[in-house]
């Protein structure tokens, strides 16, 4: 990592708006995420946190009104090869895992490196096995995703994202679809990644994880970033009424 | 019994069926290929491609096959003098193959599109998220799963295609149903036997396709 990339924000969102028809899902988002930061995004449902996450690799488009998103100094392209190339650098982990259902666990992880990065198959498989071992599912490499538990599937999804050697990893509610007993195994992997210096944007309801691994916390409400602070500060000393209201609700749960 | 043997000796029944099988073989390959392309265009984000595909599907699907076959022979060969082969019979065979391919491609395309609808949106999103473009994502992720989900309707289209090869008779291709007509014309006393021969012949060809379809659709089903 050169000093230059450390200085410029890895992810920059400037004046980003997003409408779904009349509904404004994102309103004037301005955030800079430096390399190595673990940025937690929380907020009530419908607050736009998933949308924010998905705009960063343009799975959601943004309003064409002057707002923009940059990854590592490069403006997100609108379409085509340039966009695909940029997405390859931005890993994404979905709530519903989205492992390729007709491919084995190993093929899920090697597909991107082989087809997008043009890594030779042997090398891709070797690296994939390292990632799968790292997230603790190496033994499942030959199975189909449907034969794995939710927690295992999500860890494979993390390995698949890691195999692309992304600059930043996006997590869109990665544990929300999991049975409670499987949440921790996924969070453990994410804590390890955070400790290893991976730049992460994590939309989550796991407040324990936010506290433990988060460097920064964005609280969103009605499409806007209402608080931009540290997890400690947010939990102990929320500034806005909306944040206090949100915290009172999740703490009584 | 002797009468039936007489029919087999006197008329090219096996050659007729063999022609149907050849027509079905080549037409299904080209119709399926065209169908995949049409389906890809149909689901592509490029509006003009999607529109083009929809227009072709809706136009061709609604023309009766007999009209297409006769058109291929009378218009292409008769009017426009387009000859695909110097040999008379081969030329008609090729024209019929083209008509059959054109006619069935939209049915394959729609079958595949119904398969695409069985693939969750998340699969496409995951494919895009690792940096695959539209066509790579379609080729590697969407279409393979769509085909597995569409084996039954694809099989149905294939069965229809096999039986529809009899329409090639309208384009002067000598095939089983044409042989049947000739046989009945000259041996009306054996009509029932002749019908049975042709019906059983087609059943023997088509039943395995149905069995294979069922077997494949179970074996290749995508577990989610």
């Amino acid at each position: 990592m050169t000093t230059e990339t450390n200085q410029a924000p890895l992810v920059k969102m400037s004046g980003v708006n997003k409408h779904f028809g009349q509904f404004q899902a994102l309103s004037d988002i301005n955030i800079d995420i430096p390399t190595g930061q673990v940025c937690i995004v929380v907020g009530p449902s419908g607050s736009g946190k998933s949308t924010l996450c998905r705009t960063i690799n343009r799975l959601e488009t943004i309003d064409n009104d002057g707002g923009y998103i940059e990854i590592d100094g490069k403006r997100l392209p609108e379409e085509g090869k340039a966009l695909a190339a940029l997405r390859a650098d931005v890993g994404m982990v979905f709530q519903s895992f989205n492992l390729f259902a007709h491919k084995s666990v190993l093929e899920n992880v090697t597909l991107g490196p082989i087809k997008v990065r043009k890594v030779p198959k042997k090398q891709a498989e070797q690296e994939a096995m390292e990632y799968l071992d790292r997230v603790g599912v190496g033994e499942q490499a030959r199975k189909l995703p449907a034969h794995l538990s939710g927690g295992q599937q999500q860890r494979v999804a993390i390995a698949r994202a890691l195999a692309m050697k992304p600059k930043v990893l996006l997590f869109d509610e990665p544990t929300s679809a999991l049975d409670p007993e499987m949440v921790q195994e996924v969070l453990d992997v994410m804590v390890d990644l955070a400790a290893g210096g991976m730049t992460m944007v994590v939309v989550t309801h796991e407040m324990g994880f936010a506290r433990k691994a988060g460097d920064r916390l964005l609280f969103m409400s009605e499409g806007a970033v209402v608080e931009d602070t540290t997890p400690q500060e947010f939990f102990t000393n929320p500034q806005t009424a909306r944040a206090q209201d949100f915290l009172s609700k999740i703490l009584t749960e | 019994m002797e009468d039936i043997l007489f029919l087999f000796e006197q008329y090219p029944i096996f050659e007729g069926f063999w022609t149907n099988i050849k027509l079905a073989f080549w037409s299904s390959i080209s119709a399926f290929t065209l169908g995949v392309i049409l389906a890809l265009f149909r689901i592509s984000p490029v509006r003009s491609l999607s529109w083009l595909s929809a227009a072709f599907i809706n136009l061709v699907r609604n023309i009766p096959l007999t009209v297409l076959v006769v058109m291929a022979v009378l218009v292409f060969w008769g009017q426009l003098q387009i000859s695909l082969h110097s040999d008379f019979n081969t030329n008609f065979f090729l024209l019929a193959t083209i008509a059959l391919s054109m006619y069935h491609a939209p049915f394959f395309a729609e079958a595949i599109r119904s398969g695409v609808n069985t693939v969750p949106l998340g699969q496409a999103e995951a494919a895009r998220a690792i940096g695959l473009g539209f066509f790579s994502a379609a080729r590697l992720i969407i279409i393979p799963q769509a085909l597995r989900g569409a084996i039954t309707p694809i099989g149905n289209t294939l069965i229809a295609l096999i039986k529809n090869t009899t329409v090639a008779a309208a384009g002067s291709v000598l095939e089983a149903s044409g042989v049947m007509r000739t046989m009945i014309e000259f041996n009306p006393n054996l009509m029932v036997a002749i019908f049975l021969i042709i019906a059983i012949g087609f059943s023997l060809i088509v039943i395995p396709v149905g069995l294979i379809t069922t077997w494949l659709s179970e074996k290749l089903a995508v577990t989610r």
Side-chain angles (χ1 to χ4, degrees):
Chain A
M1 211 47 69
T2 64
T3 36
E4 278 168 78
T5 48
N6 275 332
Q7 281 159 2
L10 186 57
V11 178
K12 181 180 181 66
M13 301 181 80
S14 175
V16 172
N17 290 299
K18 163 80 183 175
H19 283 81
F20 290 110
Q22 289 294 312
F23 177 71
Q24 185 159 16
L26 293 179
S27 100
D28 194 28
I29 305 290
N30 295 285
I31 47 174
D32 288 358
I33 299 172
T35 301
Q37 186 173 72
V38 177
C39 183
I40 311 288
V41 186
V42 299
S45 82
S47 60
K49 51 194 194 304
S50 274
T51 308
L52 179 133
C53 187
R54 289 162 58 86
T55 56
I56 298 176
N57 68 353
R58 213 178 158 83
L59 284 179
E60 299 287 353
T61 57
I62 59 173
D63 291 356
N64 190 9
D65 60 358
Y68 65 89
I69 299 174
E70 284 178 0
I71 308 287
D72 209 5
K74 268 184 273 176
R75 191 73 73 95
L76 264 187
E78 292 204 349
E79 273 308 324
K81 284 218 164 75
L83 177 60
L86 203 133
R87 278 181 178 146
D89 287 338
V90 181
M92 177 106 186
V93 175
F94 299 88
Q95 181 176 349
S96 48
F97 328 137
N98 294 347
L99 292 179
F100 303 131
H102 63 308
K103 296 205 173 279
S104 73
V105 162
L106 185 64
E107 288 168 331
N108 262 275
V109 182
T110 57
L111 187 104
I114 293 173
K115 299 293 178 185
V116 178
R117 297 271 194 241
K118 311 293 179 198
V119 175
K121 191 171 178 228
K122 267 243 161 88
Q123 187 191 335
E125 287 185 347
Q126 199 183 339
E127 289 179 4
M129 284 311 301
E130 285 168 21
Y131 287 116
L132 287 171
D133 285 335
R134 186 166 151 195
V135 299
V137 287
E139 316 230 303
Q140 322 289 336
R142 303 284 160 192
K143 292 187 185 167
L144 283 172
H147 298 144
L148 270 57
S149 73
Q152 289 172 326
Q153 289 193 47
Q154 194 61 301
R155 285 184 282 153
V156 174
I158 294 172
R160 175 174 70 180
L162 286 175
M164 296 300 291
K165 305 194 169 77
K167 292 174 178 163
V168 51
L169 265 183
L170 310 174
F171 293 83
D172 185 6
E173 301 201 24
T175 58
S176 298
L178 292 175
D179 290 334
E181 76 271 23
M182 293 169 184
V183 169
Q184 200 53 47
E185 63 193 60
V186 172
L187 292 180
D188 287 344
V189 170
M190 292 167 63
V191 169
D192 279 352
L193 286 176
M198 174 64 75
T199 312
M200 294 159 64
V201 177
V202 186
V203 177
T204 187
H205 297 293
E206 295 296 330
M207 298 303 149
F209 171 79
R211 238 186 249 268
K212 190 168 174 188
D215 298 317
R216 178 183 184 182
L217 187 145
L218 304 177
F219 171 70
M220 292 187 69
S221 179
E222 292 172 13
V225 174
V226 180
E227 297 204 17
D228 181 353
T229 175
T230 63
Q232 266 63 31
E233 184 69 14
F234 179 73
F235 290 117
T236 51
N237 188 18
Q239 298 296 310
T240 59
R242 277 186 281 189
Q244 286 158 8
D245 182 48
F246 173 74
L247 279 173
S248 72
K249 276 176 188 151
I250 58 166
L251 292 179
T252 52
E253 260 169 27
Chain B
M1 198 61 211
E2 266 173 43
D3 293 337
I4 292 170
L5 284 176
F6 161 79
L7 287 174
F8 275 95
E9 275 166 22
Q10 209 64 24
Y11 297 97
I13 298 175
F14 286 114
E15 289 89 334
F17 275 117
W18 182 234
T19 306
N20 289 92
I21 291 173
K22 282 191 291 183
L23 280 169
F25 181 78
W26 294 114
S27 315
S28 57
I29 288 176
S30 47
F32 183 75
T33 311
L34 187 56
V36 171
I37 295 169
L38 284 170
L40 270 178
F41 279 17
R42 192 80 176 81
I43 59 170
S44 98
V46 183
R47 282 271 173 84
S48 52
L49 290 183
S50 176
W51 186 88
L52 197 72
S53 168
F56 181 90
I57 288 171
N58 284 312
L59 177 71
V60 176
R61 191 172 51 171
N62 296 321
I63 302 174
L65 177 57
T66 318
V67 175
L68 277 180
V69 172
V70 172
M71 211 166 73
V73 172
L74 291 186
V75 177
F76 275 85
W77 179 75
Q79 287 284 333
L80 300 172
Q81 312 268 310
I82 298 170
S83 189
L84 299 170
H85 200 279
S86 53
D87 177 51
F88 221 63
N89 291 329
T90 314
N91 185 38
F92 284 141
F93 179 87
L94 290 174
L95 287 169
T97 305
I98 289 173
L100 282 164
S101 308
M102 288 292 166
Y103 178 77
H104 290 93
F107 291 97
F108 279 119
E110 291 293 275
I112 293 163
R113 197 157 72 97
S114 78
V116 170
N117 291 334
T118 68
V119 183
L121 183 62
Q123 295 286 309
E125 290 191 340
R128 283 191 281 159
I130 59 169
L132 295 172
F134 171 78
F135 281 103
S136 303
R139 185 170 61 85
L140 297 166
I141 307 299
I142 309 301
I143 296 292
Q145 292 188 46
L147 290 181
R148 287 156 180 248
I151 286 173
T152 306
I154 288 171
N156 285 340
T157 306
L158 184 60
I159 288 170
L161 185 151
I162 293 171
K163 295 188 290 180
N164 284 344
T165 54
T166 52
V167 178
S172 311
V173 176
L174 185 72
E175 49 67 64
S177 78
V179 177
M180 177 186 78
R181 233 169 295 173
T182 315
M183 288 194 291
I184 291 174
E185 200 173 325
F186 293 99
N187 309 277
N189 54 321
L190 296 175
M191 193 186 291
V192 175
I194 293 167
F195 271 132
L196 281 176
I197 289 170
I198 302 299
I200 292 170
F202 270 104
S203 302
L204 288 178
I205 297 172
V206 173
I207 286 172
V209 176
L211 291 177
I212 291 170
T213 302
T214 311
W215 179 73
L216 275 180
S217 69
E218 281 166 15
K219 186 169 172 14
L220 294 180
V222 182
T223 41
R224 299 196 189 280

